[in-house]
Each structure stands twice: as C-alpha cells, then as structure tokens.
Amino acid sequence: MPLDQTALLIELEPVVATNLDRHLALAKEWFPHEYVPWSEGRTFDGLLGGEQWRPDDSKLPDVARTALIVNLLTEDNLPSYHHEIASLFGRDGAWGTWVHRWTAEEGRHGIAIRDYLTVTRAVDPVELERARMAHMQSGYVNDHNDEMLHTVAYVAFQELATRISHRNTGRATGDPIAEQLLARVAADENLHMVFYRNLLAGAFELAPDQAMRAVTDVVAAFEMPGANIEGFGRKALSIALAGIYDLRQHRDEVLSPVLRQWDVWDRTDLRGDGERAREELAAHMETLETQAARFEERREARKKRRGES
Ligand SMILES: [Fe+2]
Ligand SMILES: [Fe+2]
C-alpha cells in the first residue's frame, strides 16, 4: 500500500531532524552588508533630489543584468514559496524548524543582491521595483501542492539549478565584487540542495516506487520558479545563449548528478509503477539530450554568423 501524505511526513521526520542538524553544523553565518560596495553609491532623484539612473551608469554586460534581474525576482517571491512549503511540510517539529530556517537564509539572498544592484546602479531601480511588484502579485503556486515527495524532488533540482545560475551569473558580470557575492549565495543554494537531496534519498529507502514516480513527474514537467516573470521566455533565451543556464547544464549538471546520487538507474527495489516511472525518466533524459545538442548546434551557428567565434 502506498504511504499517504501524513504517513510520509511522520516517517521522514527523523531524516529531516538528522539533516537539519547537519545543515546547521555546516552553514556559515554571513552578512549581506559586507558584500556591497556602499561607497560607490549616490543618492537617486525623487524625494532626495539626487541623480536619476541612466543606462550608462551600469558597467555590467546586458545579459548579466538580465540574469541578475531574473535571479533577484525569483528570490523576491520568497513569501509565496514559504507559504507553499509551510502548508505542505507543516510548521511543527523538525519540519517546521527547517521551513523557518530555510526561509530566513533565502531572505538574505534577495537583500544582498538588491543592495548590490541599487548601490552600483547596475539596473534601473524604477523598472526593477515595478517588475518586483508585478512578479510578486502574480505569486507562485507549487505544481504539486498536495504531494510532498514531488515537492521535495522539485526543490532538490531547483536549488541546484539556482546554484548554477547564480554562480554563472557572477562570472558573466565581470565584476569581482558581484562574483564574490553570487558565489556566496550559490554556496547557500548548494547546502539547500544537499538537504532536499538527502531527504528524498530517505524517501527512496522508505517508499521507492512512490519516490521514483515523484522524480519522473517532476523532471518531465520541470520549470524554473521564475517562469512567470514578465518576458521570461526572452530573458531565459538570452541567459541560455550566454551559457549562464541552458538545457545542457540543466540536464548534465542538475538532473544527472542528483539522479545518480539517488542511484535511480541501478536500484533493485523498484516494482510496478516505480519501474514504469524509471523507464519514462530514461526516455525523457534521452529527449533532453537531443534537445540540448540541437540547442548547442544552433548557438554555435549563431556565433559563427555573428563572427563571435
Ligand atoms: Fe536563494
Ligand atoms: Fe536555496
């Protein structure tokens, strides 16, 4: 008999407790204000009568700015994410402690990135604020808000995806200060990924067929949490063309290593729907391989046409 949601929460609580302790032992305290070059700041126009933002205030490449905006808006939607995971995981016991701790750590990311962008005049602050308002008002809804294993599988992949995206965005800025800040954020995302990955590993031990089904469903329908940002398609394309986050990285640096950690390809404990889910997953990974290769070819051809390589 498959375990219901309540049984899964109860059975997995010891895994949450162990990994919460592990997380707290490894997580380093850090301070957003130390990462921001405050002395570069100048008062803006409006109430205080400073200088209006102008496009040539920003020294960052266009695509780095786009990626920073997408990453920041994604971080900004934290109240919605908190709502989703607190509703599903609950706010009691080890689950609740994790939910609150995770939320507090994520809160730092938006603070630090926004401070950096505002002080360095890297983006238009009016446009950024309007984009934040629009994005947060549309909210975020978990596609699997009544299925905790699906949600854990999703966040395991998503934390790793944001890690890679932050890190590569840092490199794309060409600014060592931004790079240092985003590497710090990426290190947090990596610890979050490890927490959720270990939790789902516990679920594989407890209920392998259910865990396998959850993973396959999530991989097949994966969308970044910022997918409802205005103009996301266009932004995601330029981010992919710049190699900050593309299908190849998604497949080879996010999905594949996590799947390997769960030993999905060599497990001997799958039956029935679990076995079917693994076959579907294998087919999906093949499709992704073809799509990633096709994108890389088109990107190369585009670079040649533009004389970039
Ligand atoms: Fe974050
Ligand atoms: Fe995170």
Side-chain angles (χ1 to χ4, degrees):
M1 277 294 283
L3 296 172
D4 66 21
Q5 298 303 306
T6 311
L8 287 167
L9 285 170
I10 294 169
E11 295 291 333
L12 288 172
E13 177 149 30
V15 184
V16 173
T18 304
N19 280 282
L20 175 64
D21 288 345
R22 181 185 181 280
H23 178 85
L24 294 174
L26 288 174
K28 280 205 197 80
E29 187 182 38
W30 63 276
F31 299 97
H33 74 271
E34 292 181 0
Y35 287 77
V36 177
W38 298 98
S39 58
E40 285 183 24
R42 300 197 309 280
T43 303
F44 285 99
D45 57 329
L47 278 182
L48 302 182
E51 290 165 54
Q52 192 178 6
W53 183 85
R54 294 182 330 193
D56 59 6
D57 283 347
S58 176
K59 294 165 207 76
L60 301 184
D62 278 354
V63 69
R65 267 195 272 176
T66 301
L68 277 159
I69 290 170
V70 168
N71 293 0
L72 175 54
L73 294 176
T74 303
E75 297 284 354
D76 277 339
N77 233 358
L78 181 59
S80 268
Y81 312 142
H82 174 82
H83 174 267
E84 294 296 274
I85 69 164
S87 308
L88 194 53
F89 297 163
R91 298 197 294 176
D92 305 319
W95 283 103
T97 309
W98 168 258
V99 166
H100 289 117
R101 169 76 193 201
W102 174 86
T103 303
E105 290 187 12
E106 290 291 352
R108 222 179 241 162
H109 300 168
I111 292 170
I113 297 171
R114 171 168 289 94
D115 285 347
Y116 168 82
L117 293 179
T118 308
V119 166
T120 62
R121 293 185 171 240
V123 299
D124 180 346
V126 173
E127 203 183 298
L128 180 65
E129 178 61 5
R130 288 181 178 152
R132 187 189 66 80
M133 287 295 291
H135 183 53
M136 287 188 74
Q137 287 180 88
S138 67
Y140 172 83
V141 181
N142 174 1
D143 282 342
H144 308 282
N145 59 11
D146 54 356
E147 293 168 307
M148 59 147 307
L149 293 185
H150 284 71
T151 300
V152 175
Y154 176 78
V155 288
F157 293 125
Q158 180 269 325
E159 293 283 1
L160 185 50
T162 49
R163 174 204 184 188
I164 288 174
S165 166
H166 282 305
R167 195 191 55 198
N168 291 344
T169 298
R171 288 186 189 145
T173 62
D175 173 7
I177 291 179
E179 199 169 346
Q180 174 171 263
L181 164 61
L182 292 170
R184 181 55 259 184
V185 172
D188 280 7
E189 311 296 21
N190 194 50
L191 274 188
H192 297 160
M193 177 277 288
V194 171
F195 176 90
Y196 289 123
R197 192 189 67 196
N198 289 351
L199 183 50
L200 203 76
F204 263 107
E205 294 308 310
L206 182 69
D209 294 322
Q210 284 174 268
M212 192 64 246
R213 170 50 65 195
V215 168
T216 296
D217 288 354
V218 162
V219 170
F222 191 88
E223 260 195 342
M224 291 295 258
N228 63 341
I229 290 171
E230 255 177 39
F232 181 78
R234 191 168 25 83
K235 291 180 165 73
L237 178 62
S238 60
I239 288 166
L241 285 170
I244 293 172
Y245 197 83
D246 61 22
L247 208 47
R248 170 61 63 206
Q249 288 153 330
H250 182 65
R251 186 192 180 284
D252 293 358
E253 294 178 40
V254 174
L255 301 178
S256 291
V258 175
L259 294 172
R260 258 200 313 279
Q261 283 279 337
W262 292 328
D263 199 24
V264 300
W265 308 119
D266 297 319
R267 300 193 75 88
T268 54
D269 52 4
L270 299 179
R271 307 280 178 272
D273 188 55
E275 188 56 65
R276 272 196 301 282
R278 173 160 61 187
E279 285 163 17
E280 288 167 36
L281 179 65
H284 187 74
M285 292 299 283
E286 277 302 309
T287 306
L288 283 180
E289 173 57 42
T290 310
Q291 290 172 344
R294 200 176 299 152
F295 180 78
E296 286 171 319
E297 273 170 35
R298 283 203 304 254
R299 183 169 58 193
E300 266 315 299
R302 184 174 183 274
K303 272 190 193 158
K304 281 210 182 94
R305 268 200 318 275
R306 299 170 151 232
E308 289 169 14
S309 66

